[in-house]
Amino acid sequence: MANFNLNKVILGGRLTSDPELKQTESGISVVSFSVAVNRRTKPGEEQKADFFNVTAWRQTADFVTRYFRKGSSICVVGTLQNSTWTDQNNQKRYATEVVADEVSFVEKKQDSTGGAFQAAPAPYSATPSD
């Protein structure tokens, strides 16, 4: 039997804050943001949300920073990545984040005149490199 490995996640939700673009020492763009995704609930139940930390690199980071703001609807396709470290109190810490391979719009972008809606730019898909 061959090994089967699959790590893919698709999220649709809203940004919880404005994304902030940063640069690594070597000049590579990176952005981190959080996406709130509503859980499925039964009729009459209180709505609950899960919050996912997302990191995007290079052109995908630039795309997110340019077109998305707090409250924007977004679709993220990527992989899950786990990190472990020991904090300053010698406690072992864990984190799971989504590393975005693709991001796309969910809604049409409103025209700056406040009137009609215009088509949003096409989704951006990162090409793995480095």
Side-chain angles (χ1 to χ4, degrees):
M1 177 187 244
N3 284 339
F4 178 73
N5 296 298
L6 178 65
N7 181 355
K8 185 159 188 136
V9 63
I10 302 171
L11 299 173
R14 294 191 179 272
L15 271 69
T16 61
S17 62
D18 288 342
E20 290 184 39
L21 185 66
K22 296 181 181 178
Q23 302 274 328
T24 65
E25 289 183 15
S26 58
I28 297 171
S29 298
V30 61
V31 68
S32 297
F33 55 96
S34 178
V35 176
V37 179
N38 289 338
R39 292 184 188 173
R40 288 186 178 177
T41 58
K42 295 177 184 172
E45 284 186 356
E46 181 182 347
Q47 186 66 60
K48 294 182 181 175
D50 292 303
F51 298 86
F52 298 94
N53 295 322
V54 181
T55 300
W57 293 88
R58 297 175 178 78
Q59 293 89 351
T60 306
D62 296 331
F63 180 78
V64 168
T65 305
R66 182 172 179 187
Y67 292 107
F68 294 91
R69 298 286 172 262
K70 179 179 180 177
S72 296
S73 292
I74 191 169
C75 180
V76 177
V77 178
T79 58
L80 291 177
Q81 193 169 74
N82 294 313
S83 302
T84 60
W85 70 95
T86 303
D87 70 12
Q88 60 190 13
N89 298 323
N90 209 31
Q91 298 290 315
K92 194 154 193 169
R93 300 289 181 179
Y94 304 90
T96 300
E97 70 177 347
V98 176
V99 178
D101 295 322
E102 302 172 36
V103 296
S104 59
F105 295 97
V106 177
E107 301 172 335
K108 289 186 177 182
K109 185 174 155 185
Q110 188 168 9
D111 189 318
S112 59
T113 62
F117 284 87
Q118 62 185 14
Y124 187 81
S125 175
T127 312
S129 63
D130 303 330

